[in-house]
Amino acid sequence: IWEEFLREYRFSEYAGSVLLYLGGMSEKEKKYSEAAKYYRRIVDEYKDSLWFQEALFSLGHLYWNKGEIEDAEAYFRKLAGQSGPLAVKGKLYMAKILSQKGEKEKALALYNELSENDSVSGIALLNKAFLLKDLKQYSEAVEDFYKVIKSGFDNPEIRFSLALCLEKTGDVDRAIGEYFKAIYEFSEEKDSLSSQEGAKNYAVKSYFRLAKLYEKKSETKEAARIYQKIIDLGVSEAKIAEKRLEELGVE
């Protein structure tokens, strides 16, 4: 029906919207070549329509999901040259692509620019914090992770990453506090099975980091208590914890 509409009303003000809808439907059915064809028609034939930027974004996102970074970059770069909210989102993806390509400093510069934009400041700051962690700029990452949490973003991965950065800077006490937050502040998440599994995964990671920190501090009994908590969770990593507990020889 939509294809017939396009044949009969090619110059309709709704044509771009119909093409965008068809592209989205094809993408959901994993018919990526067909989806790209619809999106490109908007880009080529309806440059002055409301749907032009939507099509650029959809093409960029489609190729990015497929791992075709060069094609994705071309569309996001074109979108970033426009104005409006979608252009800002295009810049956000450009920063991700620059980071993937190893152009870390360019990515950081773009995240700094985007962190001043209210519509994407939170996610830009979060991505920047993770990038700083990867670059081993731990003190700067700590500052940004705290800003992210203050802005309302918070989850086990953020808390674990913050704790790891604090540990790397030598701030062991604060690191311990954040590892415990990664474990206990999200233990009741029930939004979905994946979020529960994610929280459990970071809880296990946090317990192991805590145990190692207590060992370094020569607090053997506390380390043993933490290893026992891993065992009590019944996870596959429990065997590692059991072995380490046995090595510690704590009664």
Short mmCIF file of all heavy atoms in Angstrom, two decimals, residues 172-173 176 180 210-227 244-245 248 250:
data_model
loop_
_atom_site.label_atom_id
_atom_site.label_comp_id
_atom_site.label_asym_id
_atom_site.label_seq_id
_atom_site.Cartn_x
_atom_site.Cartn_y
_atom_site.Cartn_z
N VAL A 172 42.21 4.56 47.79
CA VAL A 172 41.67 3.22 48.07
C VAL A 172 40.38 3.27 48.88
O VAL A 172 39.43 2.52 48.60
CB VAL A 172 42.73 2.35 48.79
CG1 VAL A 172 42.13 1.01 49.21
CG2 VAL A 172 43.92 2.12 47.86
N ASP A 173 40.31 4.11 49.89
CA ASP A 173 39.12 4.15 50.75
C ASP A 173 37.86 4.54 49.96
O ASP A 173 36.81 3.93 50.13
CB ASP A 173 39.33 5.12 51.91
CG ASP A 173 40.35 4.59 52.92
OD1 ASP A 173 40.55 3.35 52.95
OD2 ASP A 173 40.95 5.39 53.66
N ILE A 176 36.86 1.67 47.68
CA ILE A 176 36.12 0.63 48.40
C ILE A 176 34.65 1.03 48.55
O ILE A 176 33.75 0.22 48.33
CB ILE A 176 36.77 0.36 49.78
CG1 ILE A 176 38.09 -0.39 49.59
CG2 ILE A 176 35.82 -0.42 50.69
CD1 ILE A 176 38.92 -0.55 50.86
N PHE A 180 31.35 -0.97 46.88
CA PHE A 180 30.19 -1.42 47.65
C PHE A 180 28.89 -0.84 47.09
O PHE A 180 27.85 -1.51 47.07
CB PHE A 180 30.35 -1.07 49.13
CG PHE A 180 31.15 -2.08 49.91
CD1 PHE A 180 32.33 -1.71 50.53
CD2 PHE A 180 30.72 -3.39 50.01
CE1 PHE A 180 33.08 -2.64 51.25
CE2 PHE A 180 31.45 -4.34 50.73
CZ PHE A 180 32.64 -3.96 51.34
N LEU A 210 37.40 -5.76 45.62
CA LEU A 210 37.42 -5.49 47.07
C LEU A 210 38.31 -6.50 47.80
O LEU A 210 39.11 -6.12 48.66
CB LEU A 210 35.99 -5.57 47.63
CG LEU A 210 35.10 -4.36 47.36
CD1 LEU A 210 33.64 -4.71 47.63
CD2 LEU A 210 35.53 -3.17 48.20
N ALA A 211 38.16 -7.76 47.44
CA ALA A 211 38.96 -8.79 48.11
C ALA A 211 40.45 -8.53 47.91
O ALA A 211 41.24 -8.64 48.86
CB ALA A 211 38.57 -10.17 47.58
N LYS A 212 40.82 -8.19 46.68
CA LYS A 212 42.23 -7.91 46.39
C LYS A 212 42.73 -6.69 47.17
O LYS A 212 43.87 -6.67 47.66
CB LYS A 212 42.41 -7.69 44.89
CG LYS A 212 42.25 -8.94 44.05
CD LYS A 212 43.31 -9.97 44.39
CE LYS A 212 43.19 -11.21 43.54
NZ LYS A 212 44.14 -12.28 43.96
N LEU A 213 41.88 -5.68 47.27
CA LEU A 213 42.27 -4.48 48.02
C LEU A 213 42.48 -4.80 49.49
O LEU A 213 43.44 -4.32 50.12
CB LEU A 213 41.21 -3.38 47.86
CG LEU A 213 41.20 -2.65 46.52
CD1 LEU A 213 40.03 -1.68 46.44
CD2 LEU A 213 42.51 -1.89 46.30
N TYR A 214 41.57 -5.61 50.06
CA TYR A 214 41.72 -5.98 51.47
C TYR A 214 42.97 -6.83 51.68
O TYR A 214 43.65 -6.72 52.71
CB TYR A 214 40.48 -6.72 51.97
CG TYR A 214 39.32 -5.80 52.25
CD1 TYR A 214 38.07 -6.01 51.67
CD2 TYR A 214 39.47 -4.71 53.11
CE1 TYR A 214 36.99 -5.16 51.92
CE2 TYR A 214 38.39 -3.85 53.37
CZ TYR A 214 37.17 -4.08 52.78
OH TYR A 214 36.13 -3.23 53.03
N GLU A 215 43.30 -7.67 50.71
CA GLU A 215 44.54 -8.45 50.81
C GLU A 215 45.76 -7.54 50.82
O GLU A 215 46.70 -7.74 51.59
CB GLU A 215 44.63 -9.44 49.64
CG GLU A 215 43.73 -10.65 49.78
CD GLU A 215 44.05 -11.71 48.75
OE1 GLU A 215 45.21 -12.15 48.72
OE2 GLU A 215 43.14 -12.09 47.98
N LYS A 216 45.74 -6.52 49.95
CA LYS A 216 46.86 -5.57 49.90
C LYS A 216 47.01 -4.81 51.21
O LYS A 216 48.10 -4.43 51.61
CB LYS A 216 46.67 -4.58 48.74
CG LYS A 216 46.94 -5.17 47.38
CD LYS A 216 46.74 -4.13 46.29
CE LYS A 216 46.98 -4.73 44.91
NZ LYS A 216 46.74 -3.73 43.83
N LYS A 217 45.86 -4.59 51.86
CA LYS A 217 45.87 -3.87 53.15
C LYS A 217 46.16 -4.82 54.31
O LYS A 217 46.09 -4.42 55.47
CB LYS A 217 44.51 -3.18 53.35
CG LYS A 217 44.29 -1.98 52.45
CD LYS A 217 42.80 -1.57 52.45
CE LYS A 217 42.33 -1.15 53.80
NZ LYS A 217 41.99 0.28 53.87
N SER A 218 46.41 -6.10 53.98
CA SER A 218 46.69 -7.15 54.97
C SER A 218 45.50 -7.39 55.89
O SER A 218 45.66 -7.85 57.03
CB SER A 218 47.94 -6.80 55.81
OG SER A 218 49.07 -6.71 54.95
N GLU A 219 44.29 -7.07 55.40
CA GLU A 219 43.07 -7.34 56.16
C GLU A 219 42.51 -8.67 55.66
O GLU A 219 41.51 -8.75 54.95
CB GLU A 219 42.07 -6.20 55.99
CG GLU A 219 42.59 -4.88 56.54
CD GLU A 219 41.60 -3.73 56.40
OE1 GLU A 219 40.38 -4.01 56.25
OE2 GLU A 219 42.03 -2.57 56.44
N THR A 220 43.19 -9.75 56.06
CA THR A 220 42.91 -11.08 55.53
C THR A 220 41.50 -11.57 55.84
O THR A 220 40.84 -12.17 55.00
CB THR A 220 43.94 -12.09 56.06
OG1 THR A 220 45.26 -11.56 55.87
CG2 THR A 220 43.84 -13.41 55.31
N LYS A 221 41.05 -11.34 57.06
CA LYS A 221 39.71 -11.80 57.44
C LYS A 221 38.63 -11.11 56.60
O LYS A 221 37.64 -11.73 56.21
CB LYS A 221 39.46 -11.55 58.93
CG LYS A 221 40.23 -12.50 59.83
CD LYS A 221 39.82 -12.32 61.28
CE LYS A 221 40.55 -13.34 62.17
NZ LYS A 221 40.17 -13.19 63.60
N GLU A 222 38.83 -9.82 56.34
CA GLU A 222 37.85 -9.08 55.53
C GLU A 222 37.87 -9.59 54.09
O GLU A 222 36.82 -9.74 53.46
CB GLU A 222 38.18 -7.58 55.57
CG GLU A 222 37.04 -6.68 55.12
CD GLU A 222 35.81 -6.80 55.98
OE1 GLU A 222 35.92 -7.08 57.19
OE2 GLU A 222 34.69 -6.63 55.42
N ALA A 223 39.06 -9.89 53.59
CA ALA A 223 39.18 -10.44 52.24
C ALA A 223 38.47 -11.79 52.16
O ALA A 223 37.74 -12.07 51.20
CB ALA A 223 40.64 -10.60 51.85
N ALA A 224 38.65 -12.63 53.19
CA ALA A 224 38.01 -13.94 53.23
C ALA A 224 36.49 -13.80 53.25
O ALA A 224 35.77 -14.57 52.59
CB ALA A 224 38.48 -14.71 54.46
N ARG A 225 36.01 -12.82 53.99
CA ARG A 225 34.56 -12.58 54.06
C ARG A 225 34.00 -12.22 52.68
O ARG A 225 32.91 -12.68 52.29
CB ARG A 225 34.27 -11.44 55.05
CG ARG A 225 32.80 -11.19 55.32
CD ARG A 225 32.62 -10.06 56.31
NE ARG A 225 32.98 -8.78 55.75
CZ ARG A 225 32.16 -8.02 55.00
NH1 ARG A 225 30.93 -8.45 54.72
NH2 ARG A 225 32.56 -6.85 54.54
N ILE A 226 34.76 -11.44 51.92
CA ILE A 226 34.33 -11.03 50.58
C ILE A 226 34.34 -12.23 49.64
O ILE A 226 33.39 -12.41 48.85
CB ILE A 226 35.24 -9.91 50.04
CG1 ILE A 226 35.12 -8.65 50.90
CG2 ILE A 226 34.90 -9.60 48.58
CD1 ILE A 226 33.75 -8.01 50.90
N TYR A 227 35.39 -13.07 49.72
CA TYR A 227 35.43 -14.26 48.86
C TYR A 227 34.25 -15.18 49.16
O TYR A 227 33.68 -15.80 48.25
CB TYR A 227 36.75 -15.02 49.06
CG TYR A 227 37.93 -14.37 48.36
CD1 TYR A 227 39.09 -14.04 49.06
CD2 TYR A 227 37.89 -14.10 46.99
CE1 TYR A 227 40.18 -13.45 48.42
CE2 TYR A 227 38.97 -13.51 46.34
CZ TYR A 227 40.11 -13.19 47.06
OH TYR A 227 41.17 -12.60 46.42
N ARG A 244 40.99 -19.25 46.31
CA ARG A 244 41.70 -18.17 47.00
C ARG A 244 41.43 -18.21 48.50
O ARG A 244 42.32 -17.95 49.32
CB ARG A 244 41.29 -16.82 46.41
CG ARG A 244 42.12 -15.65 46.91
CD ARG A 244 43.57 -15.81 46.53
NE ARG A 244 44.44 -14.91 47.27
CZ ARG A 244 45.61 -15.26 47.80
NH1 ARG A 244 46.04 -16.50 47.66
NH2 ARG A 244 46.33 -14.37 48.44
N LEU A 245 40.21 -18.55 48.87
CA LEU A 245 39.84 -18.65 50.29
C LEU A 245 40.66 -19.74 50.97
O LEU A 245 41.13 -19.59 52.09
CB LEU A 245 38.36 -18.92 50.40
CG LEU A 245 37.70 -18.81 51.79
CD1 LEU A 245 37.93 -17.44 52.39
CD2 LEU A 245 36.22 -19.09 51.69
N LEU A 248 44.19 -18.55 51.52
CA LEU A 248 44.32 -17.60 52.64
C LEU A 248 44.38 -18.32 53.98
O LEU A 248 44.98 -17.83 54.93
CB LEU A 248 43.15 -16.61 52.63
CG LEU A 248 43.16 -15.55 51.53
CD1 LEU A 248 41.88 -14.72 51.60
CD2 LEU A 248 44.38 -14.64 51.65
N VAL A 250 42.10 -18.87 56.25
CA VAL A 250 41.42 -18.19 57.36
C VAL A 250 40.39 -19.10 57.97
O VAL A 250 39.60 -19.73 57.28
CB VAL A 250 40.74 -16.89 56.86
CG1 VAL A 250 39.98 -16.22 58.00
CG2 VAL A 250 41.78 -15.95 56.27
#
